[in-house]
Amino acid sequence: MSMVKIVLGTAIEVNKGIVGVVADYNDRSGKEEIVAIKMALEDFYHYTNQSFGLHIRDSHGDPLKAALAARDLIDKEQVQAIIGPQTWEETTLIAELCNQNMTPLLSLADVTPNWATSKWPFMVQTSPNALKQMKAVSAIVQSWDWYSVNIIYEDKDASSTESLSNIYLALTEAGITISNLLSVPPFPSSSLSKDLENLRDGHCRVFVVVSLSLNLAINLFETASKMDMVGKDYVWIITDPFTSLVHSLNASTISSMQGIIGVKSYFQENGKKHEDFYRKFRRKFSLDYPQELNNEPGTFAAHAYDAAWTLALAMSQTNNNEGGKFLMNKILHSNFLGLKGRIQFNDHTLDPTQTFQIINVIGKGYKEIGFWSNGLGFSSNIGQHDVSYSSSMKELGQVMWPGRPWETPRGWALPTIEKPLRVGVPALSTLKQFINITHDQFQGFTIDLFKATMDLMPYHVPYKFYAFNDTYDELVRQIYLKNFDAVIDVTIISYRYQYAEFTQPYTDPGVVMVVPLKSKTGHRAWLFVKPFTKTMWILIVLVIIYNVFVLWMLERNHFCELKGSILKQYGNIAWLAMTPLVNLNGDVDQLRNNNAMVGYSTGSFLKNYLHDVLHFNPANIRQFRSHEEFAEALRRKEIAAVFIEAPGAKIFLAKYCKEFIQAGPMYKIGGFGFAFPQGSPYLPLVNKALLDLFESGKQRELENRMLASEKCEESEPDTETASLSPNSFWALFTLTAGTSTISLLIYVTGTNWLTSAVIEQLGQAKRRLSRKDSHVAESPVNSPHSDSHVMQLPQA
């Protein structure tokens, strides 16, 4: 294991302890950190004349070797604290050792999970959490109206999970979907080309690279460039830690990254302190690492410098024999202005980074095109009084995209003749007028409508139909499984949104119940009287009229509808009489309570709807494959009713208009629509084309043409149904008429009694007034004890 031991200062210096560092000698970030830590301790000595022993160990980028290096520093070198390393996977092992030995660890990991500092109280995060950069990425994607992205990330430790979770939340809040996730192993793999090829075969052309180490990121872009995936119509967005190391890349690597957008942590580089740091760092870095082409410091150098200064300041205020707990307390109470801003810890962490710089890789380097600040948005500059912010990155000016086009990439690949849009079509459709598949030929209303919609797209979209021989739910699920790019002729239902998104409906939304209209007899003009005998019908009419008369007698003084002219009252009475004959409410309740059999079409969602929403017994629900089967089952009375979606009901009733009728209300559902992947860029364009079809009348024309092709069929009776006589209903009629008669008698008797009582009370009042009048007449008018005025009594 390589080791470096450096002791700063002279013989008259005050030695305040020993500092340990664990870093990767071969990684650019590790090299910057080592140089910056040396600079910080030297600068602290020049300011305070206090020196520190410094021991550096190489982790080789291996977590196990990093842990062994930390063990050596604690046991052998007796260090008071350790700075580093940069990766979270190495940090977890070192944090466990430091916690056991009560040795403070100043972590330089770019991402630290929230639970880490409570698990390891002797660890403090000295690099600000940069997870807010995921919101910046989301804002960039949203600015250019891209609806979906591919995520490429390094699958290594909890920090990757944390980054992935944050990018997912940020994109979801902005309404952006993740089309694909590509997990890259920590070490370069030969499968990368195959993985990238799978992404290239998809339609999404926006790629976001999250938490990739330098070596993996270089390998990724060199491979993608060879596969022509960093060219026209492609978009690449990179994040830290890779973005903060772009300045160190060689010309060959930079050439494979032309046009990419980067988001990196920002710290204000102005003032004498930064100038001194920048100048001294370049000189020292060139001396220590002459093979490096670029000697400019990045954010890792600034983080390491501030961490070393934090530790030196805390150690200068303690004695070596006071222990790690006392030192840790001093570290946590730090409060000074560092290179990256205010160094002040809150729950063992610095305040997260709120401002990020946006770069555009061009030529041999990159162009700084602006900033994004959390809660504010995009700006062309930062730290000035007249800064203006915008929610869109477009306000920052021109961006050069991959392939060097200045126009904004579409963000997805258009279908081609070789790779057309794969459109799934339900082969189990019971509505052959909508979908009819014969010998790989696709016909019907929905096929014609989809073709007309595609003709109105702003660009040519090649597509190919594929028959799918399973349920509609499975058909929609094929979009989620990426077997189809679109699906047509499916009902828009809420639970299907877990697999796809839908256009607006192109049919009437709803489910209706269809029942037999009449028995099959040749006397069609008077078919409605057939269920009952003539005597029965006469008795029904008389009872209804009698009941309405009673109702009118009881309520005529309370409702204005039952007052007015004789003609108006007769009209209202006639309406009341007809209401019981035409009211269809409660049909579904009657079917359900009588355990009647009902039907639905094969493969549709209606089986669950009938059971879960309308509460039919599953044993009473039957499926049928065609309208002909529906009709036959209704004729044979195998089922009492059939439930059909509104578009199908139109066709069914157009064909069997003399046998069946819609009964009861229409139950609202989504209607028929086209389905696309979640976040599909085609969705708004297809919706626009559908609106154009509606407004132009083309959709109605196609529907009328379909319905006109259906001729109403005649049907001859199989058997004659016997009519019902009053004998079957005498108890019902007796109860109905008796109830109404009793109500009428109570009303009439009660009215007469009330009238007699009122007359009796008026008579008694008159007699009392007469006696009082006689008494007044006998009194002396001019009596000195009487009033001068005589009260006039009212006449009874």
Side-chain angles (χ1 to χ4, degrees):
M1 177 184 294
S2 59
M3 180 184 72
V4 177
K5 182 176 181 180
I6 301 175
V7 179
L8 302 172
T10 64
I12 59 172
E13 68 194 11
V14 179
N15 193 311
K16 297 300 296 183
I18 305 173
V19 175
V21 175
V22 178
D24 185 356
Y25 281 19
N26 297 315
D27 186 72
R28 172 68 188 219
S29 60
K31 296 174 181 177
E32 290 191 10
E33 289 165 0
I34 292 171
V35 172
I37 291 171
K38 291 179 181 178
M39 284 178 54
L41 297 182
E42 287 179 358
D43 290 345
F44 193 85
Y45 169 75
H46 290 306
Y47 281 107
T48 65
N49 202 38
Q50 295 179 343
S51 65
F52 302 88
L54 177 63
H55 295 270
I56 304 174
R57 297 289 188 272
D58 187 2
S59 70
H60 300 279
D62 184 293
L64 183 58
K65 291 181 179 179
L68 292 174
R71 170 62 68 186
D72 182 69
L73 288 172
I74 295 172
D75 293 345
K76 183 179 178 180
E77 304 298 342
Q78 302 293 308
V79 296
Q80 273 73 55
I82 295 177
I83 301 175
Q86 198 269 329
T87 69
W88 176 245
E89 193 175 14
E90 295 171 308
T91 300
T92 56
L93 298 181
I94 297 178
E96 186 65 34
L97 287 173
C98 288
N99 205 58
Q100 293 172 3
N101 292 274
M102 302 180 69
T103 302
L105 170 65
L106 285 74
S107 170
L108 294 174
D110 53 328
V111 176
T112 299
N114 295 330
W115 49 264
T117 53
S118 59
K119 181 178 181 180
W120 299 301
F122 278 84
M123 184 188 76
V124 59
Q125 183 184 348
T126 56
S127 57
N129 194 315
L131 288 175
K132 287 289 197 315
Q133 69 178 317
M134 303 309 172
K135 285 192 174 183
V137 172
S138 173
I140 292 172
V141 175
Q142 196 173 21
S143 295
W144 303 100
D145 300 322
W146 297 318
Y147 299 98
S148 61
V149 300
N150 297 312
I151 301 293
I152 301 176
Y153 71 102
E154 184 175 350
D155 187 13
K156 54 182 180 178
D157 51 38
S159 64
S160 300
T161 305
E162 193 89 357
S163 298
L164 196 61
S165 175
N166 277 268
I167 188 65
Y168 175 81
L169 280 175
L171 293 172
T172 301
E173 288 176 359
I176 301 163
T177 59
I178 297 177
S179 181
N180 293 282
L181 275 173
L182 174 57
S183 171
V184 180
F187 300 99
S189 171
S190 59
S191 64
L192 181 60
S193 297
K194 181 65 176 178
D195 293 335
L196 289 176
E197 185 178 347
N198 292 335
L199 293 183
R200 186 181 61 184
D201 291 341
H203 293 291
C204 182
R205 289 291 181 265
V206 181
F207 298 84
V208 177
V209 180
V210 177
S211 299
L212 246 64
S213 61
L214 180 62
N215 291 334
L216 282 181
I218 291 174
N219 184 36
L220 169 69
F221 280 102
E222 289 179 347
T223 305
S225 180
K226 293 176 183 177
M227 299 173 65
D228 295 326
M229 292 180 66
V230 193
K232 187 178 180 181
D233 295 330
Y234 284 87
V235 177
W236 290 86
I237 303 173
I238 60 175
T239 63
D240 276 336
F242 179 49
T243 312
S244 292
L245 295 172
V246 168
H247 67 280
S248 67
L249 301 178
N250 58 41
S252 175
T253 303
I254 284 290
S255 66
S256 66
M257 298 172 56
Q258 294 296 297
I260 71 168
I261 299 295
V263 178
K264 69 173 186 173
S265 298
Y266 170 76
F267 65 98
Q268 208 164 4
E269 301 175 359
N270 53 27
K272 187 176 186 304
K273 186 174 183 179
H274 287 87
E275 292 176 2
D276 291 343
F277 171 79
Y278 191 84
R279 184 183 66 257
K280 291 168 62 176
F281 181 92
R282 293 187 64 180
R283 184 178 68 253
K284 287 182 174 296
F285 193 84
S286 296
L287 291 173
D288 291 351
Y289 304 101
Q291 73 278 11
E292 291 285 337
L293 300 177
N294 189 298
N295 57 13
E296 296 181 3
T299 58
F300 300 107
H303 288 156
Y305 186 93
D306 284 346
W309 192 277
T310 299
L311 179 57
L313 191 61
M315 292 176 69
S316 69
Q317 301 169 3
T318 63
N319 296 321
N320 294 345
N321 58 358
E322 287 181 318
K325 188 173 183 179
F326 191 83
L327 176 59
M328 189 67 189
N329 186 59
K330 287 294 184 182
I331 293 173
L332 294 176
H333 283 84
S334 299
N335 189 356
F336 67 95
L337 191 63
L339 288 175
K340 292 282 290 181
R342 177 64 55 182
I343 304 300
Q344 190 172 10
F345 296 99
N346 180 19
D347 193 20
H348 291 236
T349 62
L350 294 175
D351 290 337
T353 304
Q354 302 290 335
T355 300
F356 300 88
Q357 191 171 34
I358 302 172
I359 66 171
N360 187 194
V361 177
I362 302 175
K364 297 181 180 181
Y366 61 84
K367 172 186 176 184
E368 299 171 347
I369 60 177
F371 305 88
W372 180 89
S373 299
N374 185 38
L376 297 173
F378 295 94
S379 61
S380 57
N381 52 64
I382 207 77
Q384 300 179 11
H385 296 293
D386 58 345
V387 176
S388 60
Y389 293 92
S390 171
S391 60
S392 175
M393 181 183 164
K394 294 177 181 179
E395 301 300 321
L396 299 183
Q398 187 65 57
V399 177
M400 193 200 81
W401 303 102
R404 294 185 178 272
W406 293 106
E407 65 273 10
T408 305
R410 188 180 292 109
W412 75 91
L414 289 176
T416 62
I417 299 299
E418 295 77 18
K419 292 184 178 180
L421 199 71
R422 300 166 300 170
V423 182
V425 182
L428 295 181
S429 175
T430 58
L431 300 178
K432 300 305 178 186
Q433 297 81 355
F434 275 70
I435 297 290
N436 189 17
I437 305 174
T438 54
H439 306 294
D440 293 332
Q441 295 296 316
F442 295 83
Q443 298 175 324
F445 166 75
T446 302
I447 298 296
D448 293 340
L449 185 70
F450 184 79
K451 291 179 178 178
T453 303
M454 291 297 103
D455 289 342
L456 292 179
M457 294 287 278
Y459 42 78
H460 177 59
V461 180
Y463 56 87
K464 184 178 180 180
F465 294 122
Y466 293 87
F468 185 76
N469 194 24
D470 206 335
T471 65
Y472 285 86
D473 284 344
E474 277 300 313
L475 175 60
V476 176
R477 189 166 174 265
Q478 299 309 303
I479 293 180
Y480 179 78
L481 298 176
K482 304 186 186 303
N483 294 326
F484 290 138
D485 303 311
V487 160
I488 64 175
D489 200 58
V490 291
T491 305
I492 303 170
I493 308 173
S494 60
Y495 70 80
R496 288 178 178 170
Y497 270 88
Q498 62 184 311
Y499 301 124
E501 288 189 68
F502 297 87
T503 63
Q504 60 182 310
Y506 56 81
T507 63
D508 294 335
V511 173
V512 300
M513 181 176 70
V514 175
V515 297
L517 175 64
K518 47 193 173 284
S519 61
K520 304 172 195 175
T521 178
H523 306 289
R524 299 189 179 278
W526 297 98
L527 186 62
F528 69 92
V529 304
K530 194 63 182 174
F532 304 119
T533 63
K534 292 180 180 179
T535 304
M536 182 68 177
W537 275 113
I538 293 172
L539 190 57
I540 289 174
V541 172
L542 290 176
V543 170
I544 291 175
I545 293 175
Y546 177 67
N547 288 340
V548 171
F549 171 74
V550 173
L551 180 64
W552 174 76
M553 284 290 293
L554 297 176
E555 303 294 342
R556 70 186 190 282
N557 294 324
H558 304 286
F559 293 96
C560 60
E561 291 84 355
L562 299 178
K563 296 180 180 180
S565 65
I566 297 298
L567 182 61
K568 178 182 178 183
Q569 293 188 51
Y570 280 158
N572 289 335
I573 291 173
W575 173 251
L576 287 173
M578 288 299 296
T579 299
L581 296 178
V582 298
N583 188 11
L584 291 176
N585 292 335
D587 285 347
V588 170
D589 292 334
Q590 183 179 357
L591 291 173
R592 185 172 54 243
N593 294 336
N594 292 337
N595 282 324
M597 298 292 295
V598 295
Y600 75 99
S601 58
T602 300
S604 77
F605 73 100
L606 284 176
K607 180 178 181 180
N608 292 334
Y609 189 85
L610 291 173
H611 176 249
D612 299 337
V613 179
L614 300 184
H615 306 298
F616 279 97
N617 188 330
N620 295 334
I621 303 173
R622 289 183 55 187
Q623 64 177 0
F624 297 90
R625 291 175 297 180
S626 66
H627 282 181
E628 291 74 19
E629 289 186 5
F630 281 153
E632 192 62 28
L634 288 168
R635 290 171 186 148
R636 294 178 178 178
K637 299 183 180 179
E638 296 174 2
I639 56 175
V642 62
F643 288 84
I644 316 177
E645 293 177 69
K650 282 186 178 181
I651 297 173
F652 184 81
L653 294 177
K655 184 175 183 179
Y656 301 105
C657 63
K658 298 181 180 180
E659 290 188 75
F660 308 105
I661 189 174
Q662 176 182 333
M666 176 182 288
Y667 300 95
K668 289 294 184 181
I669 57 168
F672 288 5
F674 305 143
F676 288 88
Q678 293 177 344
S680 170
Y682 296 107
L683 200 61
L685 300 174
V686 172
N687 271 328
K688 169 68 167 54
L690 279 173
L691 279 176
D692 291 339
L693 288 176
F694 294 151
E695 294 172 1
S696 66
K698 180 67 174 178
Q699 184 269 350
R700 179 61 60 184
E701 177 187 332
L702 292 174
E703 184 177 282
N704 290 339
R705 186 190 309 166
M706 172 187 65
L707 295 176
S709 64
E710 297 301 318
K711 295 182 179 179
C712 189
E713 294 183 353
E714 295 285 345
S715 179
E716 293 301 324
D718 295 329
T719 58
E720 190 66 47
T721 303
S723 300
L724 298 174
S725 69
N727 293 333
S728 302
F729 297 92
W730 68 266
L732 178 62
F733 283 124
T734 301
L735 180 62
T736 303
T739 302
S740 298
T741 301
I742 292 171
S743 300
L744 182 60
L745 288 175
I746 292 174
Y747 173 76
V748 174
T749 303
T751 301
N752 293 337
W753 174 83
L754 179 61
T755 302
S756 299
V758 171
I759 292 173
E760 177 63 25
Q761 290 295 323
L762 289 174
Q764 292 178 5
K766 182 177 181 180
R767 288 191 292 272
R768 286 195 298 269
L769 289 173
S770 297
R771 287 196 298 269
K772 188 173 182 180
D773 190 13
S774 300
H775 176 72
V776 172
E778 293 174 358
S779 300
V781 176
N782 298 322
S783 171
H785 303 289
S786 64
D787 293 336
S788 59
H789 299 284
V790 177
M791 179 176 66
Q792 299 294 323
L793 295 177
Q795 299 296 317

